Amino acid sequence: MALVSSTQMLGEARAEGYCVGAFNVHTLEMLQAVVEAAEEANAPLILQTTVGTVRHLGPEYVAAMARVAAERARVPIALHLDHCQEEELIARCIKAGYTSVMIDASMHLFAENVERTQRVVTLARAFGVNVEAELGKVGGVEDDLVVDDADASLADPLECERFMELTKVDTLAPAIGTAHGIYKGEPRIDFVRLEEIARRVLAPLVLHGGSGIPEAQVKRAVALGMAKMNVATELRIAFSNAIKATFEEHPAENDPRTYMKRAKQAVKEVALAKMEMCGCTGKALVR
């Protein structure tokens, strides 16, 4: 099947009380690993790339890889551009074949965030592409996006409701206390705030910073309305550690097919665990 928009996929997840795993991939092997995991788990899948990965590989190459994967897979797959601030790059990714994009204007004042999001929604609607936006500021580091703990801020439930009314955006990522990267301590998710946001916003909500959140907290967030969970850092660590282990055991190894095979398996195992945690295992309609 072709790549699909995540709009219906996430709408079903929110309605049925589960969450779709969205995995940041940086190489063909990482992409293959999470697709294999999705097929094994019979789970819907969102492939994600950061702006840095798009610049590294090129959106056309990424979209081509994802398109081949989707055509061969037995589960629905969407392709998402994560945390992009540049409208020109968003347009290029949509043209290349991305089926979901995130306009992140959360660093701007509310009115400008609305204005920038509205422009992207107008563009994306013509192509049937899902649009995600953010309110508040999720802390941590992702590529060259750095938000210090002191600058992180939580989303206001009333602003979330108003933002959805003004922008008609498909999915919303409210900052509720999670962070990008690996947590230094126990994540402090504001579940009371999340519950109020979910009461006011019926669209699918997105949980950023999914690496390292304890399973009980993930399941509680999903039960309150989170329909998409982003996972990046844990995949990179698993991938890199597997390659390092190969060279530690076999210093003379020089065949990428050998060490990439081990790295793929490591990523697949992480993805399978996250899919089970999200509750999306068995939720795909297998062809």
Side-chain angles (χ1 to χ4, degrees):
M1 76 178 62
L3 287 167
V4 301
S5 169
S6 57
T7 302
Q8 181 178 348
M9 182 189 295
L10 295 177
E12 291 174 355
R14 172 82 195 257
E16 296 180 24
Y18 64 90
C19 184
V20 177
F23 301 94
N24 281 27
V25 297
H26 307 282
T27 69
L28 172 61
E29 290 81 9
M30 293 181 79
L31 184 151
Q32 291 173 325
V34 295
V35 171
E36 289 175 13
E39 291 205 274
E40 186 171 314
N42 186 23
L45 172 66
I46 298 175
L47 296 169
Q48 288 191 163
T49 55
T50 62
V51 170
T53 298
V54 169
R55 288 181 177 145
H56 177 65
L57 297 176
E60 295 79 14
Y61 278 100
V62 174
M65 290 190 296
R67 186 163 51 247
V68 170
E71 288 170 353
R72 295 183 176 183
R74 297 174 293 110
V75 297
I77 299 175
L79 177 60
H80 177 72
L81 172 66
D82 200 24
H83 279 292
C84 189
Q85 302 173 21
E86 305 167 31
E87 293 174 45
E88 289 184 7
L89 184 56
I90 287 173
R92 184 179 169 192
C93 286
I94 290 174
K95 183 178 179 181
Y98 277 66
T99 59
S100 179
V101 294
M102 179 184 184
I103 171 64
D104 184 359
S106 60
M107 71 294 301
H108 298 290
L109 294 175
F110 181 83
E112 186 169 354
N113 191 349
V114 167
E115 183 179 336
R116 288 171 180 258
T117 302
Q118 286 173 333
R119 288 199 297 266
V120 172
V121 168
T122 298
L123 169 67
R125 285 285 186 271
F127 296 89
V129 169
N130 180 281
V131 179
E132 177 183 328
E134 182 172 309
L135 273 182
K137 296 179 184 177
V138 176
V141 179
E142 183 165 3
D143 279 352
D144 55 0
L145 178 67
V146 180
V147 178
D148 293 334
D149 291 344
D151 295 326
S153 58
L154 302 185
D156 178 86
L158 289 173
E159 281 195 348
C160 288
E161 183 177 28
R162 182 62 175 154
F163 186 82
M164 298 300 294
E165 292 172 354
L166 292 171
T167 66
K168 304 296 189 293
V169 72
D170 300 292
T171 51
L172 180 68
I176 56 167
T178 57
H180 298 122
I182 294 297
Y183 293 91
K184 300 171 186 176
E186 186 85 0
R188 291 179 291 180
I189 298 177
D190 190 336
F191 288 106
V192 173
R193 183 180 300 268
L194 171 57
E195 186 172 11
E196 179 63 15
I197 291 171
R199 187 178 69 80
R200 294 176 177 276
V201 176
L202 299 182
L205 300 176
V206 181
L207 184 64
H208 280 241
S211 291
I213 300 178
E215 182 173 359
Q217 291 193 28
V218 169
K219 290 185 174 181
R220 186 177 176 187
V222 172
L224 290 174
M226 287 295 182
K228 172 177 179 267
M229 184 174 80
N230 293 2
V231 180
T233 305
E234 282 186 82
L235 297 185
R236 291 203 312 270
I237 291 173
F239 187 80
S240 300
N241 285 347
I243 293 175
K244 291 175 186 176
T246 298
F247 286 124
E248 287 172 359
E249 297 166 14
H250 307 283
E253 180 60 64
N254 62 11
D255 189 341
R257 292 168 297 184
T258 298
Y259 54 79
M260 285 297 189
K261 182 177 181 180
R262 185 168 178 175
K264 270 182 63 177
Q265 183 60 32
V267 169
K268 181 179 176 181
E269 290 171 5
V270 172
L272 282 168
K274 294 297 182 183
M275 290 170 184
E276 183 69 27
M277 190 181 296
C278 286
C280 61
T281 297
K283 298 297 185 181
L285 296 175
V286 177
R287 289 189 298 184

